[in-house]
Amino acid sequence: MSPLPDDPSRRIGEEERDAAVERLQQAYARGQFAHEEMDELLQRALTAKTHGELAEALASLPEEKPDASTIGALSGRIRRRGAWRVPRILKVESAFGRVRLDLSRAVIEHPVVDIELQLGTGRAKITVPRDAVVDIEGLRTVWKDSLYKPRRPARPGGPKIRITGTMGFGRVKIRHARR
């Protein structure tokens, strides 16, 4: 779950509630609290309406360290395809060269995946799963606009892929897998 915002009275969404429940279940599986306490914390998380209420339900848990990984290259190609494991946060850094990320057959264990691009020149092509929801609001391009056509209608249950960062001179192309 991402850090809580400054406004604890802001309402939460299903995505945040689901992440909180998953975090509680993982803590229980590690033996961090008893069954009775698990029931109480789950009830509080499931009935929480604001970030403040959700934070209270999670207050007894240790600080969560996000699953993050960085792929970097000064020049050349960065390529991931096939059945690779996608971390919760993926940082891709390249000064010169091409980036090709194919998530269509990747193992995605998180409901939300953040991909942060820091690219100088070159091209980036990202293929997401067919049922993924893509958010590119945080992606800044200097030279050319990014190419992305959302799938209509989006099927529920797919991961949310948030693509952020900066693309210098080049283009980012994002497409949904055909199968």
Side-chain angles (χ1 to χ4, degrees):
M1 190 161 92
S2 60
L4 296 177
D6 294 333
D7 184 7
S9 64
R10 200 179 78 167
R11 294 186 66 81
I12 60 171
E14 287 302 312
E15 179 180 292
E16 293 158 310
R17 187 183 328 276
D18 291 346
V21 167
E22 181 179 329
R23 194 167 162 211
L24 285 169
Q25 290 171 334
Q26 290 172 354
Y28 176 71
R30 288 191 301 268
Q32 290 181 302
F33 43 83
H35 180 73
E36 296 78 25
E37 189 178 0
M38 171 66 170
D39 287 341
E40 177 189 338
L41 293 173
L42 268 178
Q43 181 64 26
R44 288 173 64 188
L46 290 170
T47 58
K49 291 180 176 47
T50 66
H51 282 277
E53 292 172 357
L54 194 58
E56 288 175 18
L58 301 176
S60 63
L61 297 180
E63 186 66 29
E64 182 181 32
K65 295 176 186 162
D67 175 22
S69 183
T70 301
I71 304 170
L74 181 59
S75 63
R77 290 185 181 173
I78 293 175
R79 175 182 249 174
R80 295 291 183 274
R81 64 181 180 179
W84 62 289
R85 186 183 160 280
V86 180
R88 165 70 183 81
I89 300 170
L90 178 63
K91 296 179 182 179
V92 181
E93 301 170 351
S94 176
F96 309 98
R98 293 182 181 169
V99 173
R100 172 85 166 98
L101 300 176
D102 185 348
L103 284 72
S104 63
R105 293 186 318 203
V107 178
I108 301 175
E109 300 169 337
H110 308 281
V112 178
V113 172
D114 288 309
I115 299 176
E116 181 184 325
L117 301 176
Q118 294 301 324
L119 307 176
T121 61
R123 292 184 300 197
K125 185 175 181 183
I126 302 171
T127 304
V128 298
R130 186 176 178 158
D131 59 351
V133 175
V134 178
D135 176 2
I136 60 169
E137 291 299 314
L139 180 62
R140 303 290 167 247
T141 57
V142 175
W143 190 50
K144 290 186 174 185
D145 289 335
S146 53
L147 295 176
Y148 173 63
K149 271 173 105 172
R151 253 184 108 75
R152 300 275 183 214
R155 287 189 286 174
K160 180 174 185 177
I161 311 290
R162 288 190 295 225
I163 301 172
T164 60
T166 304
M167 179 72 185
F169 297 98
R171 174 166 274 161
V172 178
K173 184 178 182 181
I174 302 154
R175 72 175 187 89
H176 287 269
R178 292 191 180 116
R179 52 184 159 103

